[in-house]
Amino acid sequence: MTKKIVVCGAGGFIGGHLVADLLQHGQPDIRAVDIKPFDQWYQLFPSVQNLQLDLQDKRACEQAVSEAAQVYNLAADMGGMGFIENNRALCMLSVLINTHLLMAARKFGMERFFYASSACVYAADKQVSPELAPLKESDAYPAMPEDGYGWEKLFSERMCRHFQEDFGVTTRVARYHNVYGPHGTFEGGREKAPAAICRKVIQAKMCGNHEIEIWGSGQQTRSFMFIDDCLRGTQAIMASDISEPINLGSSEIVTINGLVDIVEDIAGIKLNRSYNLNAPKGVNGRNSDNTLIRKYLGWEPSVRLRDGLEKTYEWIYGQMIQRKPEQQTPVLAGA
């Protein structure tokens, strides 16, 4: 019986780290798939089978998962709030990826199928205040998710559920809460808040312009999960008997202002702040309730935000400092 593992979205941030982690733990047969050209993958490993495929296409999905035992679907057209609020149709089209991958998984009798969902599935009226309670899995219904991206994630969760109930495809679903770390997007419009703030603080330090623009009031609350916790939780959920969607996120809550405080402290600098209240900023408050994951796995994400940000800052700084002067990116808005 084949033990091939397929990682879809392997050219992305989480996918690249997942391939690296599987290799580190001795997984011998891995197929890595992404739509991007190989020179745009965040991490590329010559020891695995690397394929460039458009997984919105049904035949490409069949090619991706043939002869495989497990698939991790991390593939999606997505980014931070600046991207998903302005590209709702593109985000919705990712439903084709999960649909066609599930059809291929059923066709080939795959053992297990993992779907990377998002905290954006949660009802908007549960996130109107920074002080609201952490989000429980049941808070996704009655449904009122993030427009575009959140609806696609919630629909794809249901697709996983019904493929399991009707066709016997064993599916596992994790709702990711703001994953960050090295080897990810930190500029260009798709970056998320931790990477964007690290980049802005580094730019301010390098350029001597001690100003930073923050999207929103800075009082929005979030939790951010370091990539190491994400990898451990993802593989534990895949191997578990947890059949319903489950939160995978840190419960360490922080305001965006607090996030900037931490990065400033790491950089050894203090910046003057301006607030762009018209910029995309997402919901006012979001945090992960980890009651279920503690119950099922006896574990929850636990890397301290400060520790994870230090590693992220160091990696982004290394990427930016290596550039020639003419390649340096001007200070841009966005967090």
Side-chain angles (χ1 to χ4, degrees):
M1 179 64 184
T2 177
K3 293 300 179 185
K4 185 186 296 293
I5 293 178
V6 178
V7 178
C8 298
F13 165 51
I14 301 174
H17 277 285
L18 179 58
V19 173
D21 194 66
L22 290 168
L23 285 171
Q24 184 178 355
H25 287 88
Q27 171 61 33
D29 194 357
I30 302 170
R31 180 181 292 150
V33 185
D34 203 284
I35 191 173
K36 295 189 291 290
F38 294 135
D39 61 358
Q40 295 179 23
W41 289 30
Y42 290 115
Q43 299 185 71
L44 182 66
F45 302 93
S47 59
V48 310
Q49 181 187 12
N50 297 298
L51 299 179
Q52 183 189 354
L53 296 171
D54 182 356
L55 294 175
Q56 292 188 27
D57 180 74
K58 180 182 176 182
R59 286 175 295 182
C61 288
E62 292 182 352
Q63 181 181 347
V65 307
S66 64
E67 301 178 338
Q70 299 183 3
V71 61
Y72 289 88
N73 179 16
L74 309 174
D77 202 349
M78 57 86 67
M81 289 308 304
F83 178 80
I84 66 176
E85 285 197 6
N86 294 299
N87 295 276
R88 294 188 173 100
L90 289 178
C91 291
M92 289 292 290
L93 285 172
S94 293
V95 74
L96 295 173
I97 299 173
N98 197 59
T99 301
H100 290 146
L101 282 174
L102 279 169
M103 293 172 69
R106 180 194 179 197
K107 178 177 180 177
F108 294 117
M110 188 170 298
E111 290 179 7
R112 297 220 163 191
F113 183 98
F114 176 89
Y115 178 64
S117 187
S118 166
C120 289
V121 302
Y122 284 112
D125 62 356
K126 302 282 187 181
Q127 305 171 80
V128 295
S129 168
E131 293 82 24
L132 285 176
L135 293 161
K136 304 184 299 294
E137 284 79 0
S138 59
D139 289 331
Y141 295 94
M144 191 167 53
E146 182 82 36
D147 199 9
Y149 180 71
W151 274 110
E152 185 276 322
K153 290 296 185 184
L154 193 62
F155 178 85
S156 292
E157 285 188 6
R158 302 295 290 192
M159 184 76 77
C160 288
R161 171 180 172 174
H162 296 310
F163 264 70
Q164 179 161 283
E165 292 173 343
D166 294 355
F167 303 135
V169 179
T170 300
T171 60
R172 299 290 179 259
V173 176
R175 291 174 179 164
Y176 288 163
H177 287 249
N178 295 310
V179 188
Y180 74 101
H183 297 285
T185 303
F186 61 90
E187 62 187 353
R190 291 179 182 255
E191 66 276 18
K192 296 186 178 180
I197 289 171
C198 284
R199 183 203 76 231
K200 289 187 187 181
V201 171
I202 293 166
Q203 287 174 341
K205 190 170 184 178
M206 291 171 64
C207 299
N209 178 14
H210 290 190
E211 306 281 340
I212 185 170
E213 181 185 85
I214 297 171
W215 286 7
S217 67
Q219 297 303 314
Q220 314 98 289
T221 54
R222 295 289 188 277
S223 63
F224 298 97
M225 174 173 54
F226 190 58
I227 184 63
D228 291 359
D229 276 334
C230 178
L231 298 174
R232 180 179 175 184
T234 293
Q235 292 172 78
I237 292 167
M238 177 66 128
S240 75
D241 295 325
I242 306 169
S243 60
E244 70 266 32
I246 188 168
N247 280 334
L248 183 56
S250 170
S251 59
E252 181 185 354
I253 194 166
V254 66
T255 65
I256 298 300
N257 277 330
L259 187 64
V260 176
D261 289 339
I262 296 171
V263 178
E264 286 179 336
D265 189 57
I266 292 169
I269 194 172
K270 199 68 180 173
L271 305 177
N272 297 317
R273 303 178 187 186
S274 62
Y275 296 89
N276 185 348
L277 302 181
N278 296 317
K281 58 184 180 297
V283 296
N284 288 322
R286 177 181 292 159
N287 191 20
S288 178
D289 185 311
N290 288 345
T291 302
L292 278 186
I293 197 168
R294 289 196 302 268
K295 172 184 174 183
Y296 287 131
L297 300 179
W299 171 88
E300 66 177 313
S302 59
V303 175
R304 286 196 321 149
L305 181 59
R306 167 70 188 231
D307 296 337
L309 282 173
E310 285 181 350
K311 295 178 181 179
T312 306
Y313 180 94
E314 180 181 1
W315 181 80
I316 295 175
Y317 181 83
Q319 297 297 300
M320 295 177 67
I321 204 69
Q322 290 174 15
R323 295 172 174 170
K324 298 176 183 178
E326 62 271 18
Q327 295 175 313
Q328 296 292 346
T329 306
V331 177
L332 301 173

